[in-house]
Amino acid sequence: MEEKDIEELKQEEKELLESAKEAVRNSYNPVTGVLFGAAILTESGKVYTGSNIYHSSTGANLCAERIAAASAFSDGEKKIKALALVSEDGAEGKTFFPCGICRQFLTDVSEISGNDFPVIVKALKAKRVFVTSVLELLPYHYDNSFKIE
Amino acid sequence: MEEKDIEELKQEEKELLESAKEAVRNSYNPVTGVLFGAAILTESGKVYTGSNIYHSSTGANLCAERIAAASAFSDGEKKIKALALVSEDGAEGKTFFPCGICRQFLTDVSEISGNDFPVIVKALKAKRVFVTSVLELLPYHYDNSFKIE
Amino acid sequence: MEEKDIEELKQEEKELLESAKEAVRNSYNPVTGVLFGAAILTESGKVYTGSNIYHSSTGANLCAERIAAASAFSDGEKKIKALALVSEDGAEGKTFFPCGICRQFLTDVSEISGNDFPVIVKALKAKRVFVTSVLELLPYHYDNSFKIE
Amino acid sequence: MEEKDIEELKQEEKELLESAKEAVRNSYNPVTGVLFGAAILTESGKVYTGSNIYHSSTGANLCAERIAAASAFSDGEKKIKALALVSEDGAEGKTFFPCGICRQFLTDVSEISGNDFPVIVKALKAKRVFVTSVLELLPYHYDNSFKIE
């Protein structure tokens, strides 16, 4: 996990964050109130976004990053280059990181994609971003081919 | 639940089924083997597709119809006109209907959309289709504003 | 779905409802506020309870009826006789029925158990109860051996 | 994450592993084949077990550790002292760690319990165990009160 100034990011990463930020607008969450937007960049250069949907369903609610990744896969794009996640700022400017369900799903996505892609996380008003990766977010992750090294 | 010949459907419903069928190609499911594709038609005439992704994650796996609906919402399209779901044929030509998780998620989508939209379900090789609706698929559904009538 | 006066139930059903009602006390739900309790009666006469747990996790939250059934199974009791579900009363005395995720899980439990067991649902202050069954709650349910008849 | 010889564990931890091991017997998983058992020790000295249930439902499947924790909570025991998880050995003796959904659920359990309790993980035939904790398993975990420090 690295903390960076947004200016230190590559141009395509800045643009991906911008797409994630725009996706926050389509978030629907009267339940817990936190709005999220995510954007996936594929190897072919396409961008897929997702906005969280939290309503009555609790257990069936969907987070922004799962939707973005699933949209890419459903469009036949299974090579992922990077994921950006933007959310409203929490209390005292805290940044929200992906939930465990998304991390589990993303390890699958990562395995199918064939790479441990970067995950860039930012609170809406923050000037700094956190850069991590799928496997860093889920150490010793569960999967059927996992081995202790 | 009505069983119909595919020729009895409206033109836009036939086309939606065709989109769902194409989405089957992008399904990823080495776990249970059944491939699904879904397509959502919005009031504005746009079509969003989804393909199921089943890998190591079991509980975090995503079905085609949830992805299609979430993609539409994430694109700001929250008025849904119809959903089509196509899957490989089961043993003896059986048709697979949405799982309970998708039905729960779809009741939320339906409530936000403001209508109990039709759900058209078809096995890949079948000549006949099943036409049902979100609320018919989840009678006495759970939600915070539900009332017995 | 039948609506009955509580006095019309069998003695073991009344007792099961009482166990479910007691389980409401252990519910933890600061998120949406609705408290649930469930109780499973097994063929061998044992009772297992569950109380919903809703916290930050949204998608990982667990409902009372899934916990009760899973507790029975984890204790080696895979023959289920009946399920009772009690919740706080909703607005205007409405009764809450199981969510789609629980219905999906319960169809599996039902298939492993070998019977479509009764599900008795009651709001805490209500005098009347609803008696339904697992398969009635999830018509045309998704499973790998499902066939249209 | 520490790797230890089983003899280095405290007596109560060895016994908890034994309970988890016994719970493997009640696992039901014809889907992916890996059998798990979990055991929760509460502050009051009680032990609650769970066995994973994987059937047709994929997304509604439940893991052993979630069931064990939910059983404790449903019995009013919300102070957790330790969790043990035992599974069948993977290929080349690999050890399976909790999935992301369980980790998310356990961070909630941990927060309600008020402590970051130890998680002891062991493959059935392994002589060595891994000792970690809930928060170590989900770094920068998602929750509504999370703050970067």
Side-chain angles (χ1 to χ4, degrees):
Chain A
M1 178 85 66
E2 262 189 293
E3 199 179 336
K4 285 187 177 178
D5 190 277
I6 199 164
E7 290 310 317
E8 297 175 71
L9 298 177
K10 283 181 271 187
Q11 185 58 28
E12 72 179 23
E13 292 172 328
K14 287 184 205 171
E15 287 169 16
L16 197 62
L17 271 174
E18 201 53 40
S19 297
K21 183 182 159 188
E22 280 171 32
V24 174
R25 286 183 314 180
N26 291 324
S27 167
Y28 185 92
N29 184 0
V31 180
T32 64
V34 186
L35 307 181
F36 285 86
I40 283 271
L41 176 66
T42 67
E43 282 296 343
S44 67
K46 288 189 183 169
V47 172
Y48 296 86
T49 61
S51 314
N52 64 323
I53 307 171
Y54 285 9
H55 193 46
S56 291
S57 294
T58 69
N61 287 333
L62 285 179
C63 300
E65 54 272 54
R66 263 181 287 162
I67 298 171
S71 291
F73 269 43
S74 290
D75 200 33
E77 295 282 335
K78 296 191 171 70
K79 294 286 182 189
I80 308 298
K81 200 166 176 188
L83 165 65
L85 179 64
V86 172
S87 72
E88 293 184 297
D89 300 64
E92 300 171 40
K94 74 183 164 189
T95 298
F96 291 106
F97 287 85
C99 80
I101 307 172
C102 285
R103 296 184 194 194
Q104 180 65 41
F105 185 74
L106 290 173
T107 59
D108 276 5
V109 166
S110 162
E111 191 174 301
I112 299 166
S113 174
N115 57 329
D116 177 25
F117 53 82
V119 178
I120 306 163
V121 186
K122 185 180 170 301
L124 213 45
K125 296 176 189 159
K127 293 216 165 2
R128 296 181 74 75
V129 301
F130 295 88
V131 181
T132 177
S133 78
V134 173
L135 296 185
E136 190 182 27
L137 285 170
L138 203 62
Y140 302 91
H141 72 286
Y142 172 75
D143 94 58
N144 287 334
S145 56
F146 178 69
K147 285 179 200 65
I148 302 291
E149 274 149 24
Chain B
M1 178 85 67
E2 261 189 295
E3 199 179 336
K4 284 188 177 178
D5 190 277
I6 199 165
E7 290 310 318
E8 296 174 72
L9 298 177
K10 284 181 272 188
Q11 185 58 28
E12 70 179 25
E13 292 173 328
K14 287 185 205 170
E15 287 170 16
L16 197 63
L17 271 175
E18 201 53 41
S19 298
K21 184 181 159 188
E22 280 169 33
V24 174
R25 285 182 316 179
N26 290 325
S27 167
Y28 184 92
N29 184 359
V31 180
T32 64
V34 186
L35 307 180
F36 285 85
I40 283 271
L41 175 66
T42 67
E43 281 296 342
S44 66
K46 288 190 182 168
V47 171
Y48 297 86
T49 61
S51 313
N52 64 322
I53 307 170
Y54 286 9
H55 194 46
S56 289
S57 295
T58 67
N61 287 331
L62 285 179
C63 299
E65 54 273 53
R66 262 182 287 164
I67 299 171
S71 291
F73 269 43
S74 291
D75 200 32
E77 295 282 336
K78 296 191 171 71
K79 293 286 182 188
I80 308 299
K81 200 165 176 189
L83 165 66
L85 178 65
V86 172
S87 72
E88 292 184 299
D89 300 64
E92 300 172 41
K94 75 182 162 191
T95 298
F96 291 106
F97 287 86
C99 80
I101 307 171
C102 285
R103 296 183 194 194
Q104 180 65 41
F105 185 74
L106 290 173
T107 59
D108 276 5
V109 166
S110 162
E111 191 173 300
I112 299 166
S113 175
N115 59 328
D116 177 25
F117 54 81
V119 178
I120 307 163
V121 186
K122 186 181 169 300
L124 213 45
K125 296 176 188 160
K127 293 213 163 11
R128 296 180 73 74
V129 301
F130 295 89
V131 181
T132 176
S133 78
V134 174
L135 296 185
E136 191 183 27
L137 284 170
L138 202 62
Y140 302 90
H141 72 285
Y142 172 75
D143 94 59
N144 288 334
S145 56
F146 177 70
K147 286 179 200 66
I148 302 291
E149 277 150 21
Chain C
M1 178 84 67
E2 261 189 295
E3 198 180 336
K4 284 187 177 178
D5 189 279
I6 199 165
E7 289 311 315
E8 296 175 71
L9 297 177
K10 285 182 271 186
Q11 185 58 30
E12 71 179 24
E13 292 172 329
K14 288 184 205 172
E15 287 170 16
L16 197 63
L17 270 175
E18 200 55 40
S19 298
K21 184 182 159 188
E22 281 171 31
V24 174
R25 286 183 315 181
N26 291 325
S27 167
Y28 184 91
N29 184 0
V31 181
T32 63
V34 186
L35 308 180
F36 285 86
I40 283 273
L41 176 66
T42 67
E43 281 295 343
S44 67
K46 287 189 183 169
V47 171
Y48 296 85
T49 62
S51 314
N52 64 324
I53 307 172
Y54 285 9
H55 194 46
S56 289
S57 294
T58 68
N61 287 331
L62 285 179
C63 300
E65 54 273 53
R66 263 181 287 163
I67 298 171
S71 292
F73 268 43
S74 290
D75 200 33
E77 295 281 338
K78 296 191 171 69
K79 292 287 182 190
I80 308 299
K81 201 166 175 188
L83 165 65
L85 178 65
V86 172
S87 72
E88 293 184 297
D89 300 64
E92 301 172 38
K94 74 184 164 188
T95 299
F96 290 107
F97 286 86
C99 80
I101 307 172
C102 285
R103 295 183 194 195
Q104 181 64 43
F105 185 74
L106 290 173
T107 58
D108 276 4
V109 165
S110 162
E111 190 173 301
I112 299 166
S113 174
N115 58 328
D116 177 25
F117 53 81
V119 178
I120 306 163
V121 186
K122 186 182 170 300
L124 213 47
K125 295 176 188 160
K127 292 212 163 12
R128 297 180 72 76
V129 301
F130 294 88
V131 181
T132 177
S133 78
V134 173
L135 296 185
E136 190 183 26
L137 284 170
L138 203 61
Y140 302 91
H141 72 285
Y142 173 75
D143 95 59
N144 288 335
S145 55
F146 177 71
K147 285 178 201 65
I148 302 290
E149 274 149 24
Chain D
M1 177 87 65
E2 262 189 294
E3 199 180 336
K4 285 187 176 178
D5 190 278
I6 198 164
E7 289 311 316
E8 296 175 72
L9 298 177
K10 285 181 270 187
Q11 186 58 28
E12 71 179 23
E13 292 172 329
K14 287 185 205 170
E15 287 170 16
L16 197 63
L17 270 174
E18 201 54 41
S19 296
K21 183 182 160 188
E22 280 170 33
V24 174
R25 286 183 314 180
N26 290 324
S27 167
Y28 184 91
N29 184 359
V31 181
T32 65
V34 186
L35 307 180
F36 285 85
I40 283 272
L41 176 66
T42 67
E43 281 296 342
S44 66
K46 288 189 183 169
V47 172
Y48 296 86
T49 62
S51 314
N52 65 323
I53 307 171
Y54 285 8
H55 193 47
S56 290
S57 294
T58 68
N61 287 332
L62 286 178
C63 300
E65 55 273 53
R66 263 181 287 164
I67 299 171
S71 291
F73 269 43
S74 291
D75 201 32
E77 296 281 337
K78 295 190 172 69
K79 293 286 182 189
I80 308 299
K81 200 166 176 187
L83 165 66
L85 179 64
V86 172
S87 72
E88 293 184 297
D89 301 63
E92 301 171 41
K94 74 182 163 190
T95 299
F96 290 107
F97 287 85
C99 81
I101 307 171
C102 285
R103 296 183 194 195
Q104 180 64 42
F105 185 74
L106 290 173
T107 59
D108 276 5
V109 165
S110 163
E111 190 174 300
I112 299 166
S113 175
N115 58 328
D116 177 25
F117 53 81
V119 178
I120 306 162
V121 186
K122 185 182 172 299
L124 212 47
K125 295 176 187 159
K127 293 212 162 13
R128 297 182 73 75
V129 302
F130 295 88
V131 181
T132 178
S133 78
V134 173
L135 295 186
E136 190 181 28
L137 285 170
L138 202 61
Y140 302 90
H141 72 285
Y142 172 74
D143 94 59
N144 288 334
S145 55
F146 177 70
K147 285 180 201 64
I148 301 291
E149 276 149 22

